[in-house]
Amino acid sequence: MNNSLNTEQNNNKQGLSGIVENTIFNVIIQLLILASAIAFVLETEPELEEYKFYFLIADWSFLILFTIEYVLRIYSAPDKKAFIFSFFGLVDLIAILPSLVLIPGLGHLPGFHVLRILRFLRVFRIFKATRFILAVDRMIEALGEVKRELLALVILSTMMVYLSACGIYYFEKVAQPEHFGTIPKSMWWAIVSLTTIGYGDVYPVTPGGKVFTAFVALIGVGLIAIPSGLLASVLTEARVEERLEEEHENRDS
Amino acid sequence: MNNSLNTEQNNNKQGLSGIVENTIFNVIIQLLILASAIAFVLETEPELEEYKFYFLIADWSFLILFTIEYVLRIYSAPDKKAFIFSFFGLVDLIAILPSLVLIPGLGHLPGFHVLRILRFLRVFRIFKATRFILAVDRMIEALGEVKRELLALVILSTMMVYLSACGIYYFEKVAQPEHFGTIPKSMWWAIVSLTTIGYGDVYPVTPGGKVFTAFVALIGVGLIAIPSGLLASVLTEARVEERLEEEHENRDS
Amino acid sequence: MNNSLNTEQNNNKQGLSGIVENTIFNVIIQLLILASAIAFVLETEPELEEYKFYFLIADWSFLILFTIEYVLRIYSAPDKKAFIFSFFGLVDLIAILPSLVLIPGLGHLPGFHVLRILRFLRVFRIFKATRFILAVDRMIEALGEVKRELLALVILSTMMVYLSACGIYYFEKVAQPEHFGTIPKSMWWAIVSLTTIGYGDVYPVTPGGKVFTAFVALIGVGLIAIPSGLLASVLTEARVEERLEEEHENRDS
Amino acid sequence: MNNSLNTEQNNNKQGLSGIVENTIFNVIIQLLILASAIAFVLETEPELEEYKFYFLIADWSFLILFTIEYVLRIYSAPDKKAFIFSFFGLVDLIAILPSLVLIPGLGHLPGFHVLRILRFLRVFRIFKATRFILAVDRMIEALGEVKRELLALVILSTMMVYLSACGIYYFEKVAQPEHFGTIPKSMWWAIVSLTTIGYGDVYPVTPGGKVFTAFVALIGVGLIAIPSGLLASVLTEARVEERLEEEHENRDS
């Protein structure tokens, strides 16, 4: 209709800058992100050491292509400054930061360490993919609606971890000084237990510590599981409302 | 009423093909599926090695009976082609695929390996049972309603696993190269930790790795638990709507 | 009001049989159940061996008092037969079954084994406590409302356990025959992993087994967590409806 | 408007007592709580032993400042007695209890043990932070709305732990007397398994114990997860109602 006609005119008028809304362009970017992530993983395999040269070429290709994408996105953004400092603008920038190692004096002066961290930044390229997940907007909106509750639950969970660590330290520090000798050490136990991961590298052995764990586990495990349920509920509700509005609109027209 | 009268007439007219809607026929099929699953499990017990011959007979009986069922279901389907390529049509076909080993040259030429895989396909016979679970339709419908959110959550969870694996690789590769020496290796840790299974075969030992795990665990565990809550909410909601509709119909009539 | 007046008259008329509705009587029963459970636990402590005689006296006291309670409950039930075969009637009967060891020939003929099992039945006395939990009725009602979905989820979970066990058996039987040598053995792994307990006594070690576990864990863990969310949703909903009805009644009057 | 004008007048009139509603005052208190919690954690690090003197000074500062805060809060409370015995009043009191060690004869007479416990009470200072979490009120309200269901679930969970411990004791006491020799010992296994932590220090090894665990795990894990889902549902619902009321008010005015 009128709308699509306008878009087409826009594309014609804007020329190169319209490309960022082109489907094929976006599919290529998605494939590049995926390829970049796979290459990052495979690079660490010592068995693929012999293909090192090809990984280097792939890496430079990704860097160049993502840089072109970044420039195009800035060029085609209505408000260039707003885009650069938006979430996606910053992610796009971080994705090409490893190219900074080319600037002489930055990659060489502070030595290998900065280089390694800069190269490791490539891992965040995966965030570029969030641009293409359709339901993410709705999820962020749902997140926004319960942000007060989520903040409260995060604070309460942190308090739970703190109190659990302090408590188990009190009970176990004498029996197992290597695992519970300080509160920061005990915090590792608190995290592993309250998330119910329970690796089994640390666990209480004294009767007091076990009774304390029983209470902490039953309360804390429940507390830490609430945010997931909350987000699930809000997501469902958001979906219901959306459908009700659609029905409402249909009835009106 | 009129409807059931029609069905009865149909049964009389169609003769043999009406059998697939017969209750006794379906109960027998259900028992066969259960027996087949139990036989498959018991076959692997070395203590029951001496009954091998009986298992072979049972196995051939299941194969023949399921083949008869498959033929009957095709015969009685209104649209034969649609049935063959439907989910249940394909499951019914896979259930009798092990009979392919009878075709000379297929079971013998590529040797024992293909035979073993073909025989292992019997495990999928259990999917035939889904035909008889009443609430499955409603669950698939509920699944369909949140498919966009589910897809988004699956992508986000995959990204979480990827980022966790890359991060822990960064922190632990030097300290534990046998467990975290490559990112694919680290992914095993990420899966076991984010699902909160926590076998305890791999866990971080460096302070950096432990702090990283603390953050990843608190966020990732919550993220991966959302889909369950979402499905539970949607199922409840679907049930409420169904009841409201029933009440509405009752009021109208 | 009129209602409480009637109850009082009932109490007076029925004499002894009214006692089962008496608050003090019920508090005493609750304390007896608690005391019986605590005694059952402490009896197993070897350090308390010297108090064996007192435990025996307590045990006989519980038996006699629960027998009196049972007789009173039958006596005061409007429909005696219905009570005897109701859930609470059967629980009350099981609670006093250990007294059967008194019947000569039953406790002695089949020997120590039957005696031990009969004595172990005391553990089910705890079910007598469910009579006093106010919200249990509402929970059973909520359970009833989603019984079709729950049944479907139980069947799907069982299928998930079956398929997981068969799959891991396929991948790990050669590498770890002591843990995955048969499908029944592999089922222990499936249960421990899908419930996310993850003791760490059994876990896959082959690459194939680990990749299989990754898929099974992400799907199966979610599947098995749905029933809890479903029950939680239905409980909340039941509460909302109850309140709406109350408000509706208040508005009408 | 009128309201804020009144508050300002109040502040002027009340003088010192109005300070407890001052934003800067409350931010300082929050920072003090955080600093106190961090100091408590770092104190246990043997590497920071050399800064012991500074920790002592910090500790005394916290004590003096929290005492001043407590006095101010009592002074500015409309109903002083109500405040002292309120949750926050008691928390504020516990936070300064370690100062009791100053009273001669109390810190010295019963010796080091009482002193250590009194000093350990500082851990509860973290509860002072709950005063500043905005959504806590709504959460406590939500908790109150489902208190009957929560109580029932707590009782049922306790019964589940009791029955699981008794059952596993029956199956495993002969095979693993060191872990399952008494029911109290078996309770540790029950807690660790039903919360799905699964450290791996204790697990069943007999076939009977494993089959029992399979049933207990599938039911018990689900039961213990219900409260989290319930609270999440109620929190979402409370939020929806709040918004509906706001919309209602907007429409009316």
Side-chain angles (χ1 to χ4, degrees):
Chain A
M1 328 228 167
N2 202 15
N3 198 20
S4 75
L5 228 149
N6 275 345
T7 315
E8 227 173 288
Q9 282 182 336
N10 267 356
N11 278 353
N12 289 340
K13 234 195 282 172
Q14 295 181 343
L16 200 62
S17 78
I19 206 174
V20 297
E21 279 157 27
N22 185 292
T23 312
I24 297 166
F25 172 82
N26 282 305
V27 168
I28 291 170
I29 296 296
Q30 286 174 54
L31 291 175
L32 279 176
I33 297 167
L34 192 64
S36 165
I38 293 171
F40 189 82
V41 167
L42 294 181
E43 244 182 70
T44 65
E45 276 288 357
E47 290 171 34
L48 302 171
E49 187 83 328
E50 49 184 314
Y51 303 105
K52 210 179 167 180
F53 179 66
Y54 299 100
F55 279 120
L56 202 73
I57 289 175
D59 214 42
W60 276 103
S61 311
F62 294 136
L63 204 56
I64 292 161
L65 292 166
F66 285 140
T67 308
I68 294 171
E69 186 211 353
Y70 183 56
V71 171
L72 278 174
R73 287 205 191 272
I74 294 179
Y75 179 72
S76 65
D79 183 346
K80 281 157 188 55
K81 207 175 164 183
F83 170 75
I84 290 171
F85 292 101
S86 72
F87 173 71
F88 289 127
L90 291 171
V91 164
D92 286 346
L93 182 62
I94 289 169
I96 56 171
L97 268 190
S99 63
L100 287 179
V101 299
L102 287 180
I103 302 166
L106 196 123
H108 294 285
L109 262 181
F112 184 69
H113 197 65
V114 164
L115 189 82
R116 212 182 60 170
I117 289 178
L118 271 175
R119 281 183 58 79
F120 200 78
L121 280 178
R122 288 175 299 158
V123 81
F124 295 111
R125 279 182 190 160
I126 198 84
F127 282 120
K128 286 170 75 84
T130 48
R131 183 182 271 133
F132 306 106
I133 309 173
L134 285 174
V136 157
D137 280 357
R138 206 190 294 174
M139 291 172 95
I140 288 170
E141 210 181 288
L143 220 94
E145 284 208 31
V146 283
K147 65 172 178 286
R148 272 205 299 174
E149 281 86 356
L150 278 182
L151 185 67
L153 286 165
V154 166
I155 295 174
L156 288 176
S157 299
T158 311
M159 278 168 63
M160 193 76 216
V161 169
Y162 170 79
L163 285 170
S164 304
C166 294
I168 205 74
Y169 161 77
Y170 182 81
F171 285 110
E172 296 284 327
K173 70 178 161 187
V174 177
Q176 302 187 78
E178 71 283 14
H179 290 138
F180 299 98
T182 68
I183 294 179
K185 274 183 185 174
S186 306
M187 275 190 182
W188 172 243
W189 167 86
I191 291 280
V192 169
S193 299
L194 292 178
T195 55
T196 78
I197 294 176
Y199 290 123
D201 55 340
V202 282
Y203 48 82
V205 294
T206 65
K210 287 183 176 183
V211 170
F212 177 75
T213 301
F215 283 99
V216 158
L218 287 171
I219 299 166
V221 163
L223 178 67
I224 280 177
I226 296 177
S228 295
L230 194 63
L231 285 174
S233 287
V234 172
L235 273 176
T236 321
E237 194 202 300
R239 208 183 48 75
V240 176
E241 272 173 31
E242 197 173 88
R243 212 179 44 192
L244 286 177
E245 272 169 30
E246 276 170 25
E247 281 172 18
H248 198 75
E249 279 167 23
N250 290 343
R251 224 184 307 149
D252 287 1
S253 61
Chain B
M1 332 237 160
N2 202 15
N3 198 20
S4 76
L5 228 150
N6 275 346
T7 315
E8 229 174 285
Q9 283 183 339
N10 266 357
N11 278 354
N12 288 340
K13 235 194 281 171
Q14 295 182 343
L16 201 62
S17 79
I19 204 174
V20 298
E21 279 158 25
N22 186 293
T23 312
I24 296 165
F25 172 82
N26 282 307
V27 168
I28 291 170
I29 296 295
Q30 287 173 52
L31 292 175
L32 279 176
I33 297 166
L34 191 64
S36 165
I38 292 170
F40 189 83
V41 166
L42 295 180
E43 244 183 70
T44 64
E45 274 287 357
E47 289 171 35
L48 302 171
E49 187 82 329
E50 49 183 315
Y51 303 105
K52 210 180 168 179
F53 179 67
Y54 299 100
F55 279 121
L56 203 73
I57 289 175
D59 214 42
W60 276 103
S61 313
F62 294 136
L63 204 56
I64 292 161
L65 291 165
F66 285 141
T67 309
I68 294 170
E69 186 211 354
Y70 183 56
V71 171
L72 277 174
R73 287 207 189 269
I74 293 179
Y75 179 73
S76 65
D79 182 347
K80 281 157 187 54
K81 207 174 163 185
F83 170 74
I84 290 170
F85 292 100
S86 72
F87 172 73
F88 289 128
L90 291 172
V91 164
D92 285 346
L93 182 62
I94 289 170
I96 57 171
L97 267 191
S99 63
L100 286 180
V101 300
L102 286 180
I103 302 166
L106 196 121
H108 294 285
L109 262 182
F112 184 68
H113 197 66
V114 163
L115 188 82
R116 211 183 60 168
I117 289 177
L118 271 175
R119 281 183 58 77
F120 199 80
L121 281 178
R122 287 176 299 160
V123 81
F124 295 111
R125 279 182 190 160
I126 197 85
F127 282 121
K128 287 170 75 82
T130 49
R131 182 182 271 131
F132 305 106
I133 309 173
L134 285 174
V136 157
D137 281 356
R138 205 189 297 173
M139 290 171 95
I140 288 170
E141 208 181 290
L143 220 95
E145 285 207 30
V146 282
K147 63 171 178 286
R148 273 206 297 174
E149 280 87 357
L150 278 182
L151 184 69
L153 286 165
V154 166
I155 296 174
L156 288 175
S157 298
T158 311
M159 278 169 62
M160 193 76 216
V161 170
Y162 170 79
L163 286 169
S164 305
C166 293
I168 205 75
Y169 161 77
Y170 182 82
F171 285 110
E172 296 283 327
K173 70 178 163 189
V174 176
Q176 302 187 77
E178 71 283 14
H179 289 139
F180 299 99
T182 68
I183 293 179
K185 274 183 186 175
S186 306
M187 275 190 181
W188 172 243
W189 167 85
I191 290 281
V192 169
S193 298
L194 291 178
T195 55
T196 78
I197 294 175
Y199 289 124
D201 56 339
V202 281
Y203 49 82
V205 295
T206 65
K210 287 183 175 183
V211 171
F212 178 75
T213 302
F215 283 99
V216 158
L218 287 171
I219 299 166
V221 162
L223 179 67
I224 280 177
I226 296 176
S228 296
L230 195 63
L231 287 174
S233 286
V234 172
L235 274 175
T236 320
E237 194 202 300
R239 206 182 50 75
V240 175
E241 274 173 31
E242 198 173 86
R243 211 179 45 191
L244 285 178
E245 272 168 31
E246 277 171 23
E247 279 172 20
H248 199 76
E249 278 166 25
N250 290 343
R251 225 185 306 150
D252 286 1
S253 60
Chain C
M1 335 239 156
N2 204 15
N3 198 21
S4 76
L5 227 149
N6 275 345
T7 314
E8 227 172 288
Q9 282 182 338
N10 266 356
N11 277 354
N12 288 340
K13 237 196 280 171
Q14 295 183 346
L16 200 60
S17 77
I19 205 174
V20 297
E21 280 157 26
N22 186 293
T23 311
I24 296 165
F25 172 82
N26 282 306
V27 168
I28 291 170
I29 296 296
Q30 288 173 52
L31 291 175
L32 278 176
I33 298 167
L34 192 64
S36 165
I38 292 170
F40 189 83
V41 167
L42 294 181
E43 243 184 71
T44 64
E45 276 288 356
E47 290 171 33
L48 303 171
E49 186 82 330
E50 49 183 316
Y51 303 105
K52 211 179 168 179
F53 178 68
Y54 299 100
F55 279 120
L56 203 72
I57 289 176
D59 214 41
W60 276 103
S61 312
F62 294 137
L63 204 56
I64 292 161
L65 291 166
F66 285 141
T67 308
I68 294 171
E69 186 211 353
Y70 184 55
V71 171
L72 277 174
R73 287 206 189 271
I74 294 179
Y75 179 73
S76 65
D79 183 346
K80 282 159 186 50
K81 207 175 164 183
F83 170 75
I84 291 170
F85 292 100
S86 72
F87 172 73
F88 289 126
L90 291 171
V91 164
D92 285 346
L93 182 61
I94 289 170
I96 56 171
L97 268 190
S99 63
L100 286 180
V101 299
L102 286 180
I103 303 165
L106 196 122
H108 295 286
L109 263 182
F112 184 68
H113 198 65
V114 162
L115 188 82
R116 212 182 58 169
I117 288 177
L118 270 175
R119 280 183 57 79
F120 200 78
L121 280 177
R122 288 175 299 160
V123 82
F124 294 111
R125 279 183 190 159
I126 198 85
F127 282 121
K128 287 170 75 82
T130 49
R131 182 181 272 132
F132 305 106
I133 310 174
L134 284 172
V136 157
D137 281 356
R138 205 189 297 172
M139 291 172 96
I140 287 169
E141 209 181 289
L143 221 95
E145 285 208 30
V146 283
K147 64 171 177 288
R148 272 206 298 174
E149 280 86 357
L150 278 182
L151 184 68
L153 285 166
V154 166
I155 296 174
L156 288 176
S157 297
T158 312
M159 279 170 62
M160 192 78 217
V161 170
Y162 169 79
L163 285 170
S164 304
C166 294
I168 205 75
Y169 162 76
Y170 182 82
F171 285 110
E172 296 284 328
K173 70 178 162 189
V174 177
Q176 302 188 76
E178 72 283 13
H179 289 137
F180 298 99
T182 68
I183 293 179
K185 273 183 185 174
S186 305
M187 275 191 182
W188 172 243
W189 168 85
I191 290 281
V192 169
S193 298
L194 292 178
T195 55
T196 79
I197 294 175
Y199 289 124
D201 55 339
V202 281
Y203 49 82
V205 294
T206 65
K210 287 184 175 183
V211 170
F212 178 75
T213 302
F215 282 99
V216 157
L218 287 172
I219 300 166
V221 163
L223 179 67
I224 281 177
I226 296 177
S228 296
L230 196 62
L231 286 174
S233 285
V234 172
L235 273 176
T236 320
E237 196 201 298
R239 206 182 50 76
V240 175
E241 273 172 32
E242 197 173 89
R243 212 180 41 191
L244 285 178
E245 272 168 32
E246 276 170 25
E247 280 173 19
H248 198 75
E249 278 166 26
N250 290 343
R251 224 186 306 148
D252 287 2
S253 60
Chain D
M1 322 208 178
N2 203 15
N3 199 20
S4 74
L5 228 148
N6 275 345
T7 315
E8 228 173 286
Q9 282 182 339
N10 268 356
N11 278 353
N12 288 338
K13 237 194 281 173
Q14 295 180 345
L16 201 62
S17 77
I19 205 173
V20 298
E21 280 157 26
N22 185 291
T23 313
I24 296 166
F25 172 83
N26 282 306
V27 168
I28 290 170
I29 296 296
Q30 287 173 52
L31 291 175
L32 278 177
I33 298 166
L34 192 64
S36 166
I38 292 170
F40 189 82
V41 166
L42 294 181
E43 244 183 72
T44 64
E45 277 288 359
E47 291 171 34
L48 302 171
E49 187 82 329
E50 48 184 314
Y51 303 105
K52 210 179 167 180
F53 179 66
Y54 300 100
F55 279 119
L56 202 73
I57 289 175
D59 214 41
W60 276 102
S61 311
F62 295 136
L63 204 56
I64 291 162
L65 291 165
F66 286 141
T67 309
I68 294 171
E69 184 210 356
Y70 183 55
V71 171
L72 278 173
R73 288 206 190 271
I74 294 179
Y75 179 73
S76 64
D79 183 347
K80 281 157 187 55
K81 208 176 164 184
F83 169 74
I84 290 169
F85 292 100
S86 72
F87 172 72
F88 289 126
L90 291 171
V91 164
D92 285 346
L93 182 61
I94 289 170
I96 56 170
L97 269 190
S99 63
L100 287 180
V101 299
L102 287 180
I103 303 165
L106 196 123
H108 295 284
L109 262 182
F112 184 68
H113 198 65
V114 162
L115 188 82
R116 212 182 59 169
I117 290 177
L118 270 175
R119 280 182 58 78
F120 200 79
L121 279 178
R122 287 175 300 159
V123 82
F124 295 111
R125 278 184 190 159
I126 199 85
F127 282 120
K128 286 171 75 82
T130 49
R131 182 182 272 133
F132 306 106
I133 310 174
L134 285 173
V136 157
D137 281 356
R138 205 190 296 173
M139 291 172 96
I140 287 169
E141 210 181 290
L143 221 96
E145 285 208 30
V146 284
K147 64 170 177 287
R148 273 206 297 174
E149 280 86 357
L150 278 182
L151 184 68
L153 286 165
V154 166
I155 296 174
L156 288 175
S157 298
T158 311
M159 279 170 62
M160 192 77 217
V161 170
Y162 170 79
L163 285 170
S164 304
C166 294
I168 205 74
Y169 161 77
Y170 183 81
F171 285 110
E172 296 283 328
K173 70 178 160 188
V174 177
Q176 302 188 77
E178 72 282 14
H179 290 137
F180 298 98
T182 68
I183 295 179
K185 273 183 185 175
S186 306
M187 275 191 182
W188 173 242
W189 167 86
I191 290 280
V192 169
S193 299
L194 292 177
T195 55
T196 79
I197 294 177
Y199 290 123
D201 55 340
V202 281
Y203 49 83
V205 294
T206 65
K210 286 183 176 181
V211 170
F212 178 75
T213 302
F215 283 99
V216 157
L218 287 171
I219 299 166
V221 162
L223 178 66
I224 280 177
I226 296 177
S228 294
L230 195 63
L231 285 174
S233 286
V234 172
L235 272 176
T236 321
E237 195 201 297
R239 207 182 48 76
V240 176
E241 273 172 31
E242 196 173 87
R243 212 179 43 192
L244 286 177
E245 272 168 32
E246 276 170 24
E247 280 172 19
H248 199 75
E249 278 167 24
N250 290 343
R251 224 184 307 148
D252 286 3
S253 61

